[in-house]
Amino acid sequence: MKPATFSDETLMAYADGELPAAEAAAVRAAAIADPAVAARIELFASSRRLLRESHDPLLLTAVPASLRETVSALGRRPRATRRRQIFSRALAASLLLAVAGATGWSFIGRGGSDLGAGMAQLPAAIVASLERLPSGGAAEIAVGARQMNMLVLASYDHGGGWCREFELDAGTADEAVQRGLACRDGDRWRLRAFADLAVAPPDASAYLPASGSTDLAPMFGLRAPLSAAEERQRLDRERRR
Amino acid sequence: MSTSNDAQFRTELLSLLPRLRRYALARVATPEHADDLVQAACERGWKARAQWEPGTNLACWMFTIMHNLHIDEIRAKAAQGTDVGAEPLEQLHDHAWTRRLEAKEMLTQVVGVMQQLPQWMREVLMLVPVEGLSYREAAAVLGVPVGTVMSRLARARVELMRRLNVADGEKHWIAA
């Protein structure tokens, strides 16, 4: 039997194990009878081995970090699922008062612009950073069992006391960055509002006290952010408390 | 799709990156272009992840996305009049295949020879022998009939071996 009896496609499919059993048996018989058929099959089998072995080492080349990071960040910020949050919607609901739905902010107090009745207790680690970090400053803090980054954005005067805007980022794929506004109320800091951010925060270095921050402060009737010098005075005062 | 499915999808995508890059490298000229293609495919795959059926071969699904993206890219560039580069086979006719390869190790030669083959050969060689897809799976990725995959694949393998200067039945190249 001559090789031409079977097409290259058929002999290849035999070598690749893709031929139905009956046809495969016929090819096998032909290969035994005719060395040329066997040689043609061997050509296809060898090409497969060669291709596979020659390309396997390519799998060991390092994936660029930027590509890996982009793929692991897929769905992260814009689609964060917000499973675990420092300030939960439940907190807002239980304390609450007013949720300004359209703005995305949850307000804690007797009304969106009322700074007088905040009740939310802030974790000690957050308070410590509020009393210590200048605007633009960041710190790694532990809240409960969890580590996260806290970034202070800006400071505002508030009837002789002050308020500070900040962000918390757990750095994981399934959590949104949260932004909050906290104000000193006598002996305590109270959380007045918080929101999930739909986008990643800019680099910490982008924040300057005088540059202010967001749409949040005006909702509370807070004016322009404190200057760096004013902010230093407030921080000194905190240290002496 | 639930959060845990999303996380699983992302994890599987990450583990596929080496294979996706390898396939992309066989399609485009530079590693940078390959990485761009992989990233674009991952982003498109992520958006369309609800259409992927868990339990089916994600690699095939991603190869298909990458294949279509690359074709879109070539068409867009052609529409802009950008030179997308001649097919490697056409280049080859100019350069002529004169160099003998015995100085290089066979496995290295195979990768080099692959780069000289036209795209329609490279893609079937990557999908079936290298990636281990079945003819049917490769046909789905390329959007062509199974018979077309088989005829392209047989011609590509014969051509590859011819360029490696390996005749029927010679066994000296078997590395395993």
Side-chain angles (χ1 to χ4, degrees), chain A residues 1-12 23 26-27 30-31 33-41 44, chain B residues 168:
Chain A
M1 199 180 284
K2 296 195 155 221
T5 309
F6 293 104
S7 66
D8 268 353
E9 284 82 358
T10 302
L11 297 178
M12 176 186 76
E23 233 180 314
V27 171
D34 184 348
V37 173
R40 198 67 175 167
I41 293 168
F44 288 113
Chain B
D168 283 15

PDB file of all heavy atoms in Angstrom, chain A residues 1-12 23 26-27 30-31 33-41 44, chain B residues 168:
ATOM      1  N   MET A   1       0.837  -1.207   0.000  1.00  0.00           N
ATOM      2  CA  MET A   1       0.000   0.000   0.000  1.00  0.00           C
ATOM      3  C   MET A   1       0.866   1.250   0.000  1.00  0.00           C
ATOM      4  O   MET A   1       1.875   1.320   0.683  1.00  0.00           O
ATOM      5  CB  MET A   1      -0.886  -0.001   1.252  1.00  0.00           C
ATOM      6  CG  MET A   1      -2.085   0.924   1.125  1.00  0.00           C
ATOM      7  SD  MET A   1      -3.081   0.893   2.614  1.00  0.00           S
ATOM      8  CE  MET A   1      -3.938  -0.668   2.433  1.00  0.00           C
ATOM      9  N   LYS A   2       0.483   2.222  -0.786  1.00  0.00           N
ATOM     10  CA  LYS A   2       1.299   3.430  -0.919  1.00  0.00           C
ATOM     11  C   LYS A   2       0.798   4.511   0.039  1.00  0.00           C
ATOM     12  O   LYS A   2      -0.373   4.543   0.402  1.00  0.00           O
ATOM     13  CB  LYS A   2       1.213   3.930  -2.365  1.00  0.00           C
ATOM     14  CG  LYS A   2       1.801   2.943  -3.351  1.00  0.00           C
ATOM     15  CD  LYS A   2       2.019   3.643  -4.686  1.00  0.00           C
ATOM     16  CE  LYS A   2       3.111   2.931  -5.451  1.00  0.00           C
ATOM     17  NZ  LYS A   2       4.005   3.822  -6.111  1.00  0.00           N
ATOM     18  N   PRO A   3       1.699   5.409   0.417  1.00  0.00           N
ATOM     19  CA  PRO A   3       1.307   6.480   1.327  1.00  0.00           C
ATOM     20  C   PRO A   3       0.143   7.281   0.780  1.00  0.00           C
ATOM     21  O   PRO A   3      -0.676   7.786   1.522  1.00  0.00           O
ATOM     22  CB  PRO A   3       2.563   7.356   1.432  1.00  0.00           C
ATOM     23  CG  PRO A   3       3.693   6.484   0.974  1.00  0.00           C
ATOM     24  CD  PRO A   3       3.109   5.458   0.048  1.00  0.00           C
ATOM     25  N   ALA A   4       0.069   7.408  -0.510  1.00  0.00           N
ATOM     26  CA  ALA A   4      -0.965   8.226  -1.133  1.00  0.00           C
ATOM     27  C   ALA A   4      -2.365   7.694  -0.826  1.00  0.00           C
ATOM     28  O   ALA A   4      -3.347   8.402  -0.984  1.00  0.00           O
ATOM     29  CB  ALA A   4      -0.743   8.269  -2.630  1.00  0.00           C
ATOM     30  N   THR A   5      -2.455   6.473  -0.413  1.00  0.00           N
ATOM     31  CA  THR A   5      -3.756   5.905  -0.071  1.00  0.00           C
ATOM     32  C   THR A   5      -4.429   6.702   1.038  1.00  0.00           C
ATOM     33  O   THR A   5      -5.632   6.866   1.054  1.00  0.00           O
ATOM     34  CB  THR A   5      -3.588   4.441   0.382  1.00  0.00           C
ATOM     35  OG1 THR A   5      -2.822   3.768  -0.594  1.00  0.00           O
ATOM     36  CG2 THR A   5      -4.940   3.799   0.554  1.00  0.00           C
ATOM     37  N   PHE A   6      -3.592   7.168   1.934  1.00  0.00           N
ATOM     38  CA  PHE A   6      -4.127   8.005   3.003  1.00  0.00           C
ATOM     39  C   PHE A   6      -3.609   9.427   2.832  1.00  0.00           C
ATOM     40  O   PHE A   6      -2.431   9.630   2.513  1.00  0.00           O
ATOM     41  CB  PHE A   6      -3.707   7.478   4.376  1.00  0.00           C
ATOM     42  CG  PHE A   6      -4.322   6.156   4.715  1.00  0.00           C
ATOM     43  CD1 PHE A   6      -3.580   4.983   4.651  1.00  0.00           C
ATOM     44  CD2 PHE A   6      -5.657   6.086   5.092  1.00  0.00           C
ATOM     45  CE1 PHE A   6      -4.156   3.769   4.963  1.00  0.00           C
ATOM     46  CE2 PHE A   6      -6.242   4.866   5.407  1.00  0.00           C
ATOM     47  CZ  PHE A   6      -5.488   3.694   5.339  1.00  0.00           C
ATOM     48  N   SER A   7      -4.504  10.363   3.049  1.00  0.00           N
ATOM     49  CA  SER A   7      -4.078  11.758   2.940  1.00  0.00           C
ATOM     50  C   SER A   7      -3.181  12.116   4.124  1.00  0.00           C
ATOM     51  O   SER A   7      -3.184  11.437   5.158  1.00  0.00           O
ATOM     52  CB  SER A   7      -5.306  12.668   2.945  1.00  0.00           C
ATOM     53  OG  SER A   7      -5.930  12.588   4.212  1.00  0.00           O
ATOM     54  N   ASP A   8      -2.412  13.183   3.960  1.00  0.00           N
ATOM     55  CA  ASP A   8      -1.601  13.684   5.072  1.00  0.00           C
ATOM     56  C   ASP A   8      -2.471  13.998   6.292  1.00  0.00           C
ATOM     57  O   ASP A   8      -2.085  13.753   7.432  1.00  0.00           O
ATOM     58  CB  ASP A   8      -0.849  14.963   4.656  1.00  0.00           C
ATOM     59  CG  ASP A   8       0.542  14.629   4.095  1.00  0.00           C
ATOM     60  OD1 ASP A   8       0.945  13.448   4.164  1.00  0.00           O
ATOM     61  OD2 ASP A   8       1.215  15.561   3.615  1.00  0.00           O
ATOM     62  N   GLU A   9      -3.659  14.543   6.022  1.00  0.00           N
ATOM     63  CA  GLU A   9      -4.556  14.879   7.139  1.00  0.00           C
ATOM     64  C   GLU A   9      -4.905  13.630   7.941  1.00  0.00           C
ATOM     65  O   GLU A   9      -4.950  13.660   9.165  1.00  0.00           O
ATOM     66  CB  GLU A   9      -5.849  15.532   6.619  1.00  0.00           C
ATOM     67  CG  GLU A   9      -5.705  16.980   6.197  1.00  0.00           C
ATOM     68  CD  GLU A   9      -5.131  17.119   4.780  1.00  0.00           C
ATOM     69  OE1 GLU A   9      -4.803  16.088   4.144  1.00  0.00           O
ATOM     70  OE2 GLU A   9      -4.998  18.264   4.317  1.00  0.00           O
ATOM     71  N   THR A  10      -5.153  12.546   7.241  1.00  0.00           N
ATOM     72  CA  THR A  10      -5.528  11.305   7.928  1.00  0.00           C
ATOM     73  C   THR A  10      -4.358  10.749   8.734  1.00  0.00           C
ATOM     74  O   THR A  10      -4.516  10.358   9.898  1.00  0.00           O
ATOM     75  CB  THR A  10      -6.004  10.255   6.906  1.00  0.00           C
ATOM     76  OG1 THR A  10      -7.111  10.804   6.180  1.00  0.00           O
ATOM     77  CG2 THR A  10      -6.447   8.976   7.605  1.00  0.00           C
ATOM     78  N   LEU A  11      -3.167  10.744   8.107  1.00  0.00           N
ATOM     79  CA  LEU A  11      -1.999  10.220   8.821  1.00  0.00           C
ATOM     80  C   LEU A  11      -1.663  11.099  10.025  1.00  0.00           C
ATOM     81  O   LEU A  11      -1.285  10.617  11.091  1.00  0.00           O
ATOM     82  CB  LEU A  11      -0.802  10.129   7.867  1.00  0.00           C
ATOM     83  CG  LEU A  11      -1.006   9.156   6.687  1.00  0.00           C
ATOM     84  CD1 LEU A  11       0.209   9.177   5.770  1.00  0.00           C
ATOM     85  CD2 LEU A  11      -1.286   7.734   7.184  1.00  0.00           C
ATOM     86  N   MET A  12      -1.828  12.391   9.853  1.00  0.00           N
ATOM     87  CA  MET A  12      -1.601  13.312  10.966  1.00  0.00           C
ATOM     88  C   MET A  12      -2.602  13.070  12.097  1.00  0.00           C
ATOM     89  O   MET A  12      -2.234  13.010  13.269  1.00  0.00           O
ATOM     90  CB  MET A  12      -1.715  14.762  10.474  1.00  0.00           C
ATOM     91  CG  MET A  12      -1.587  15.795  11.588  1.00  0.00           C
ATOM     92  SD  MET A  12      -1.896  17.473  10.976  1.00  0.00           S
ATOM     93  CE  MET A  12      -3.686  17.453  10.819  1.00  0.00           C
ATOM     94  N   GLU A  23     -11.031   3.741  11.398  1.00  0.00           N
ATOM     95  CA  GLU A  23     -10.078   4.325  10.467  1.00  0.00           C
ATOM     96  C   GLU A  23      -8.648   4.159  10.984  1.00  0.00           C
ATOM     97  O   GLU A  23      -7.722   3.889  10.216  1.00  0.00           O
ATOM     98  CB  GLU A  23     -10.397   5.808  10.282  1.00  0.00           C
ATOM     99  CG  GLU A  23     -10.552   6.221   8.827  1.00  0.00           C
ATOM    100  CD  GLU A  23     -10.874   7.708   8.714  1.00  0.00           C
ATOM    101  OE1 GLU A  23     -11.752   8.194   9.475  1.00  0.00           O
ATOM    102  OE2 GLU A  23     -10.236   8.375   7.885  1.00  0.00           O
ATOM    103  N   ALA A  26      -7.249   0.820  10.178  1.00  0.00           N
ATOM    104  CA  ALA A  26      -6.847   0.701   8.770  1.00  0.00           C
ATOM    105  C   ALA A  26      -5.482   1.356   8.549  1.00  0.00           C
ATOM    106  O   ALA A  26      -4.622   0.815   7.843  1.00  0.00           O
ATOM    107  CB  ALA A  26      -7.905   1.340   7.877  1.00  0.00           C
ATOM    108  N   VAL A  27      -5.274   2.524   9.184  1.00  0.00           N
ATOM    109  CA  VAL A  27      -3.993   3.212   9.040  1.00  0.00           C
ATOM    110  C   VAL A  27      -2.876   2.384   9.671  1.00  0.00           C
ATOM    111  O   VAL A  27      -1.784   2.246   9.115  1.00  0.00           O
ATOM    112  CB  VAL A  27      -4.056   4.624   9.678  1.00  0.00           C
ATOM    113  CG1 VAL A  27      -2.671   5.252   9.725  1.00  0.00           C
ATOM    114  CG2 VAL A  27      -5.011   5.525   8.898  1.00  0.00           C
ATOM    115  N   ALA A  30      -1.858  -0.324   7.430  1.00  0.00           N
ATOM    116  CA  ALA A  30      -1.087   0.196   6.296  1.00  0.00           C
ATOM    117  C   ALA A  30       0.339   0.539   6.714  1.00  0.00           C
ATOM    118  O   ALA A  30       1.290   0.312   5.974  1.00  0.00           O
ATOM    119  CB  ALA A  30      -1.785   1.434   5.730  1.00  0.00           C
ATOM    120  N   ALA A  31       0.485   1.061   7.932  1.00  0.00           N
ATOM    121  CA  ALA A  31       1.815   1.443   8.417  1.00  0.00           C
ATOM    122  C   ALA A  31       2.698   0.226   8.626  1.00  0.00           C
ATOM    123  O   ALA A  31       3.906   0.276   8.377  1.00  0.00           O
ATOM    124  CB  ALA A  31       1.682   2.246   9.717  1.00  0.00           C
ATOM    125  N   ALA A  33       2.394  -2.514   6.930  1.00  0.00           N
ATOM    126  CA  ALA A  33       2.690  -3.064   5.615  1.00  0.00           C
ATOM    127  C   ALA A  33       3.664  -2.194   4.829  1.00  0.00           C
ATOM    128  O   ALA A  33       4.423  -2.696   4.005  1.00  0.00           O
ATOM    129  CB  ALA A  33       1.381  -3.224   4.830  1.00  0.00           C
ATOM    130  N   ASP A  34       3.665  -0.907   5.080  1.00  0.00           N
ATOM    131  CA  ASP A  34       4.429   0.000   4.227  1.00  0.00           C
ATOM    132  C   ASP A  34       5.264   0.966   5.075  1.00  0.00           C
ATOM    133  O   ASP A  34       4.711   1.854   5.737  1.00  0.00           O
ATOM    134  CB  ASP A  34       3.439   0.780   3.346  1.00  0.00           C
ATOM    135  CG  ASP A  34       4.157   1.679   2.358  1.00  0.00           C
ATOM    136  OD1 ASP A  34       5.386   1.876   2.502  1.00  0.00           O
ATOM    137  OD2 ASP A  34       3.480   2.201   1.453  1.00  0.00           O
ATOM    138  N   PRO A  35       6.591   0.829   5.026  1.00  0.00           N
ATOM    139  CA  PRO A  35       7.467   1.716   5.811  1.00  0.00           C
ATOM    140  C   PRO A  35       7.281   3.192   5.464  1.00  0.00           C
ATOM    141  O   PRO A  35       7.483   4.061   6.318  1.00  0.00           O
ATOM    142  CB  PRO A  35       8.878   1.251   5.422  1.00  0.00           C
ATOM    143  CG  PRO A  35       8.713  -0.114   4.866  1.00  0.00           C
ATOM    144  CD  PRO A  35       7.337  -0.181   4.272  1.00  0.00           C
ATOM    145  N   ALA A  36       6.890   3.475   4.235  1.00  0.00           N
ATOM    146  CA  ALA A  36       6.696   4.880   3.848  1.00  0.00           C
ATOM    147  C   ALA A  36       5.539   5.512   4.613  1.00  0.00           C
ATOM    148  O   ALA A  36       5.583   6.681   4.992  1.00  0.00           O
ATOM    149  CB  ALA A  36       6.461   4.975   2.339  1.00  0.00           C
ATOM    150  N   VAL A  37       4.487   4.702   4.836  1.00  0.00           N
ATOM    151  CA  VAL A  37       3.358   5.198   5.625  1.00  0.00           C
ATOM    152  C   VAL A  37       3.802   5.425   7.065  1.00  0.00           C
ATOM    153  O   VAL A  37       3.507   6.465   7.674  1.00  0.00           O
ATOM    154  CB  VAL A  37       2.169   4.201   5.576  1.00  0.00           C
ATOM    155  CG1 VAL A  37       1.063   4.642   6.525  1.00  0.00           C
ATOM    156  CG2 VAL A  37       1.632   4.087   4.151  1.00  0.00           C
ATOM    157  N   ALA A  38       4.550   4.459   7.581  1.00  0.00           N
ATOM    158  CA  ALA A  38       5.042   4.583   8.958  1.00  0.00           C
ATOM    159  C   ALA A  38       5.924   5.820   9.104  1.00  0.00           C
ATOM    160  O   ALA A  38       5.835   6.557  10.099  1.00  0.00           O
ATOM    161  CB  ALA A  38       5.817   3.325   9.347  1.00  0.00           C
ATOM    162  N   ALA A  39       6.755   6.075   8.096  1.00  0.00           N
ATOM    163  CA  ALA A  39       7.656   7.218   8.148  1.00  0.00           C
ATOM    164  C   ALA A  39       6.882   8.533   8.130  1.00  0.00           C
ATOM    165  O   ALA A  39       7.235   9.497   8.815  1.00  0.00           O
ATOM    166  CB  ALA A  39       8.626   7.166   6.974  1.00  0.00           C
ATOM    167  N   ARG A  40       5.815   8.537   7.314  1.00  0.00           N
ATOM    168  CA  ARG A  40       5.010   9.764   7.238  1.00  0.00           C
ATOM    169  C   ARG A  40       4.319  10.028   8.583  1.00  0.00           C
ATOM    170  O   ARG A  40       4.240  11.159   9.047  1.00  0.00           O
ATOM    171  CB  ARG A  40       3.971   9.596   6.122  1.00  0.00           C
ATOM    172  CG  ARG A  40       3.367  10.903   5.625  1.00  0.00           C
ATOM    173  CD  ARG A  40       4.388  11.764   4.919  1.00  0.00           C
ATOM    174  NE  ARG A  40       3.795  12.970   4.348  1.00  0.00           N
ATOM    175  CZ  ARG A  40       4.514  14.000   3.901  1.00  0.00           C
ATOM    176  NH1 ARG A  40       5.828  13.989   3.973  1.00  0.00           N
ATOM    177  NH2 ARG A  40       3.914  15.054   3.374  1.00  0.00           N
ATOM    178  N   ILE A  41       3.823   8.984   9.200  1.00  0.00           N
ATOM    179  CA  ILE A  41       3.198   9.120  10.527  1.00  0.00           C
ATOM    180  C   ILE A  41       4.231   9.621  11.528  1.00  0.00           C
ATOM    181  O   ILE A  41       3.953  10.507  12.344  1.00  0.00           O
ATOM    182  CB  ILE A  41       2.593   7.773  10.980  1.00  0.00           C
ATOM    183  CG1 ILE A  41       1.401   7.400  10.091  1.00  0.00           C
ATOM    184  CG2 ILE A  41       2.159   7.851  12.445  1.00  0.00           C
ATOM    185  CD1 ILE A  41       0.926   5.963  10.284  1.00  0.00           C
ATOM    186  N   PHE A  44       4.768  13.317  11.433  1.00  0.00           N
ATOM    187  CA  PHE A  44       3.775  14.116  12.153  1.00  0.00           C
ATOM    188  C   PHE A  44       3.931  13.980  13.672  1.00  0.00           C
ATOM    189  O   PHE A  44       3.821  14.953  14.407  1.00  0.00           O
ATOM    190  CB  PHE A  44       2.356  13.717  11.706  1.00  0.00           C
ATOM    191  CG  PHE A  44       2.032  14.200  10.322  1.00  0.00           C
ATOM    192  CD1 PHE A  44       1.842  13.309   9.277  1.00  0.00           C
ATOM    193  CD2 PHE A  44       1.935  15.562  10.065  1.00  0.00           C
ATOM    194  CE1 PHE A  44       1.548  13.762   7.995  1.00  0.00           C
ATOM    195  CE2 PHE A  44       1.653  16.029   8.784  1.00  0.00           C
ATOM    196  CZ  PHE A  44       1.457  15.121   7.741  1.00  0.00           C
TER     197      PHE A  44
ATOM    198  N   ASP B 168      11.125  12.432   5.908  1.00  0.00           N
ATOM    199  CA  ASP B 168      10.261  11.390   6.456  1.00  0.00           C
ATOM    200  C   ASP B 168      11.088  10.315   7.152  1.00  0.00           C
ATOM    201  O   ASP B 168      12.041   9.805   6.604  1.00  0.00           O
ATOM    202  CB  ASP B 168       9.512  10.688   5.322  1.00  0.00           C
ATOM    203  CG  ASP B 168       8.365  11.531   4.822  1.00  0.00           C
ATOM    204  OD1 ASP B 168       8.353  12.739   5.151  1.00  0.00           O
ATOM    205  OD2 ASP B 168       7.507  10.996   4.104  1.00  0.00           O
TER     206      ASP B 168
END
